[in-house]
Amino acid sequence: MNEIKVSDLARQLKMKIGELVPILKDLGIPNVVNGTSMIDKESAMAVKDMILSERAAKKAKKVEAAKPLKTIEVPKNLSVRDFAAKIGVDPSDVQRKLVEMGILATVNQQIGADVAGKLAENWGYAVKIQTSSAATPPVKQPAKPGLAPKQKGAGKLLPRPPVITVMGHVDHGKTTLLDAIRRTNVTEHEFGGITQHIGAYQVSWNGNLITFLDTPGHAAFTSMRKRGASVTDIAVLVVAADDAVMPQTIEAINHARAANVPIIVAINKIDKPEANVERTMQQLMEQDLMPEEWGGDTIVVKTAAKKGQGIDELLEMILLLAEMGEYKAEVSANKVRAAVIEAKVDSGRGPVATVLIQKGTLRIGAPVIAGETHGKIKAMFNDKGERIMKAGPSTPVEILGLSGAPNAGDILESAKNEKEARAIAEKRAEEARREKVAEKSKITLEDLYNRIKEEGVKKLNVVLKADVQGSEEAVRQTLLKIENDEVRVDIVHSGVGAVNESDILLASASDAIVLGFNVKVDVRAQDMADADHVEIRTYNVIYELTKDVRAAMSGMLAPVYEEVHLGQAEVRATFKVPNVGIIAGCYVTEGKVVRNEQVRILRDDKEIFKGVLTTLKHLKDEKKEMVQGFECGIQVDGFQDFKEGDIIDAFTEKAIARAI
Ligand code: GDP
């Protein structure tokens, strides 16, 4: 009678026999085999006590956890030191906890509210973000410890990996750094196997993904921005410690700043005997990049990319900055949006484009438009060359199936179906052609005044190049002093040396003019400026330079236009071409007619239309101009109503600079 059946004890404890038996066995109670085994009552009582008290403790803990946490108010961003003071602990304790969270931070480093929230739980606090005005809706407390506050209505927005571009002077180690980062994530064997770079890749660090654009250089960065794609969240500026700040370092800084992208500095090659970190930091400071360890707010990481040194810390810092940036995207957006990173036509595979998803999830089979191309996603590959079926925000993928190679910086979007995709792409191509015709050139000194008056332009962006630093500074200072009530000068970039392609790119992306003082213009830069309609003016006398800028601001440089007659053509027949419209079959009776120039259409000696000649064909070929005695097909933008005998009178307008 001093014994009890195991199954009876289980019933009393409201437990399954299968759960109780192992516990009894673990406790070393003799003769326990299954539910029918008998154990002595004393042992049974002890086990019962133990299990019941364990349950009570668990329940108490739950009640405790359910109690609201003590709350502290924190600003959106605060330093590790300030956070420690709020909690009343030593900053080093906070740093230690941050390390456990995979974040390496100095005491002056800023942490975002999300991180502060997670940290605070360690000391039994919840955080409330201070709001500066009553109009800002209050931020909810974390529902559960460990979870970031959920924002109402933002259900679809999910965090996405940050996208990084590596910039810096040539030979400072950008490529080596990108390779070193990639190596952190794949085995040496895999690394060797990845022969094809697709223009971007992703690494996973402490469970967080980071996307790197694998095309180092600010030129690539800015040419994408010029086309309207801003894909970069953070710029990593590589500065070699043995060379310090060089001209392209400054260019890169200005490119990043013009795009409003935060900069993390990697002082590289610290393994070299001639490395001088102090001097490099000093020079960075002169560029307004004050390192944190000197009390500033620029994150500086010391690396030796060649040896893989400092890479971990760099990744930590990127994630830290990304956390503050709180980059988010809709994963399940109806419309997918991606930026084209690079594209080419492969002889075997056809058009191949690498795109970086910015919104939504791109799937195999999706009908898409990319710039002026269209198609259906036939196949997708990730950065390791593996075939994938879908890709979400911040993921770089190589896609097959487009009708042609889009331009880097073009936007890829999903369409309802292939028909719609084709129609949109064709419309865009047509619009692009028209835009080209009516292309509004970039700002020039001559049209500055009109732009001030008509478009409310408030500043004249300038890229300045000079022969030596002394004159650069002198011109800079003089320019900055020029202003009137309506407009002021803003120097986007200034540097020493010839005007180069990077200057033109920056000027083009920032709608700036390029002013050169005692410098030449590279041939390639001149070609690019001509193609991009960027104005370059060079001077040998500072006074002349400033005089022109001043005159431009007050409208004294605005040009006067004079009409120059080009020639005439007579309409001899009209043709209707499906999908194209009416084409006038003409004979050039005098002078010449020129594509993209202006024309007047005369009927019975009266002007019935004035516009731009957009199509000029001879037989099947598109021509730039046709001269007297030739037949040609003509289309004029916005006019279809040609009649036999109409005269097409071609002319151009020439700007005549005013004498100042
Ligand atoms: P990029 O022009 O900025 O892409 O520079 P690269 O990555 O091509 O590097 C230029 C040269 O510097 C190469 O010979 C690299 O091996 C070397 N290099 C890059 N990083 C380091 C480094 O951390 N230490 C040393 N000693 N050499 C480096």
Side-chain angles (χ1 to χ4, degrees), residues 579-600:
N579 295 327
V580 174
I582 304 287
I583 298 213
C586 303
Y587 179 79
V588 185
T589 50
E590 175 244 309
K592 60 182 179 182
V593 290
V594 183
R595 181 157 48 94
N596 294 347
E597 287 292 359
Q598 305 213 54
V599 290
R600 251 184 223 104

Side-chain angles (χ1 to χ4, degrees), residues 128-147:
K128 182 165 183 253
I129 300 170
Q130 280 167 1
T131 46
S132 45
S133 77
T136 322
V139 174
K140 277 192 192 160
Q141 293 305 311
K144 271 191 216 163
L147 284 186

Side-chain angles (χ1 to χ4, degrees), residues 169-176 268-269 271-272 304-306:
H169 195 73
V170 64
D171 275 348
H172 278 198
K174 298 179 290 294
T175 315
T176 314
N268 192 32
K269 305 199 187 184
D271 57 312
K272 284 188 123 178
K306 207 171 161 182

Side-chain angles (χ1 to χ4, degrees), residues 222-369:
T222 298
S223 61
M224 297 229 4
R225 190 164 70 86
K226 205 179 90 188
R227 301 195 70 85
S230 42
V231 289
T232 305
D233 298 313
I234 297 170
V236 170
L237 178 72
V238 180
V239 191
D242 59 340
D243 210 16
V245 171
M246 295 303 278
Q248 287 168 20
T249 317
I250 300 175
E251 277 176 21
I253 295 171
N254 291 332
H255 280 249
R257 283 192 178 141
N260 235 340
V261 166
I263 298 172
I264 293 184
V265 178
I267 298 188
N268 192 32
K269 305 199 187 184
I270 54 164
D271 57 312
K272 284 188 123 178
E274 58 276 34
N276 190 337
V277 174
E278 282 280 302
R279 182 176 67 122
T280 310
M281 294 219 289
Q282 182 71 38
Q283 292 185 6
L284 282 168
M285 220 175 74
E286 287 162 17
Q287 301 300 324
D288 275 340
L289 288 174
M290 173 76 106
E292 280 189 326
E293 64 177 272
W294 288 1
D297 53 14
T298 303
I299 299 177
V300 174
V301 181
K302 292 156 204 159
T303 59
K306 207 171 161 182
K307 306 197 161 166
Q309 211 176 308
I311 306 298
D312 295 2
E313 198 193 339
L314 178 63
L315 296 176
E316 300 281 5
M317 290 303 152
I318 288 171
L319 284 175
L320 182 75
L321 200 60
E323 194 148 357
M324 289 182 216
E326 291 186 24
Y327 307 116
K328 294 201 167 126
E330 281 180 62
V331 176
S332 52
N334 286 336
K335 248 187 177 298
V336 181
R337 188 192 141 100
V340 177
I341 307 292
E342 58 180 44
K344 60 176 181 213
V345 178
D346 186 293
S347 55
R349 302 191 296 166
V352 184
T354 296
V355 303
L356 183 78
I357 316 291
Q358 296 189 298
K359 200 172 107 180
T361 301
L362 186 64
R363 291 189 164 79
I364 291 282
V368 293
I369 316 133

Side-chain angles (χ1 to χ4, degrees), residues 488-521:
R488 65 183 165 77
V489 174
D490 196 353
I491 299 182
V492 185
H493 169 64
S494 75
V496 170
V499 175
N500 59 30
E501 285 172 281
S502 156
D503 297 327
I504 306 299
L505 252 178
L506 186 56
S508 178
S510 320
D511 202 8
I513 60 161
V514 180
L515 295 178
F517 180 71
N518 272 338
V519 290
K520 290 210 166 53
V521 179

